Amino acid sequence: MYKYLTPQKTSSIKSFWKWFLKNEKELSDFVNKNTQSNEIILKFERKISYVSKRLGFVLGYDTNLKKPSITITANGYRRLFYLVEGMIEHAPKTKYFTLEAFIKPLEDLEPFKQGTDEPYTFSDFEFKISDIYFFPVDFDTIRKRMKIKVFLSNYRYHYDNDFLIIAFQIMIQNLIGEVNLKRSIADIELAQLPDNPQNLIPLYELNEYIDFLNKLNRRVKLDI
């Protein structure tokens, strides 16, 4: 994959990390809320945009190492996966952060099973993953990609919201991971949840279902 990393891109990546090393303490102070100024975040966004305007990042916390984390993401743009990996390949050793490539799948599904997960809140609607179901519409075992229909209890009130499908792409990406979303999900369709969802699958089981279908050795057409 790194054969696509041009000398110009390599130079811009190294330049970004050189700036990062000089400023990671200030960025760490912001993440740890030792400072209220967001100026360092704005600088970080600007510097990473010099590598690619499509690249993004997620600030988090590594509970194992007990330090802030930075996840470099392609924001769902598959053609830049190589660039995300190149960013981590050329990343220096850092004192204050752990660095990761791509948004990872959630490992702890217990809150979804118990219905205690926090809702995703957007400008004019919110949803909990534990309340959402899906069903596969089509799966191509050759390309290993699946089309799914996602069912929401209050879809009838939001079906004309243009941001809705984007919101669900974000939610599903956070659930199953950035790489799995692009490699395994060909299309997402939204629909109203029926009164009896017994034949549908909880959305939090999507990764498990993808693993199951990937074991099939023929093209399968599934209809609701």
Side-chain angles (χ1 to χ4, degrees), residues 36-53:
Q36 298 300 315
S37 173
N38 66 347
E39 182 178 353
I40 186 63
I41 294 295
L42 298 177
K43 289 181 180 179
F44 189 97
E45 291 175 345
R46 185 171 68 254
K47 291 293 182 179
I48 202 171
S49 73
Y50 294 159
V51 180
S52 172
K53 292 183 178 180

Side-chain angles (χ1 to χ4, degrees), residues 2 5 9-10 13-14 17 84-93:
Y2 296 111
L5 204 59
K9 283 297 182 184
T10 301
I13 288 173
K14 290 181 177 179
W17 288 122
V84 173
E85 294 180 345
M87 287 281 289
I88 299 302
E89 176 73 10
H90 290 281
K93 292 183 178 179

Side-chain angles (χ1 to χ4, degrees), residues 153-200:
S153 60
N154 52 356
Y155 175 70
R156 61 172 65 95
Y157 303 116
H158 303 290
Y159 71 93
D160 57 348
N161 190 317
D162 294 337
F163 182 70
L164 192 61
I165 189 64
I166 298 175
F168 270 84
Q169 288 173 343
I170 294 172
M171 292 170 63
I172 293 174
Q173 175 176 268
N174 290 344
L175 177 66
I176 70 174
E178 183 175 0
V179 174
N180 282 346
L181 176 64
K182 283 301 171 184
R183 289 182 177 173
S184 301
I185 305 299
D187 187 53
I188 300 170
E189 179 184 350
L190 302 179
Q192 176 63 37
L193 182 69
D195 294 335
N196 186 0
Q198 65 179 16
N199 294 323
L200 303 180

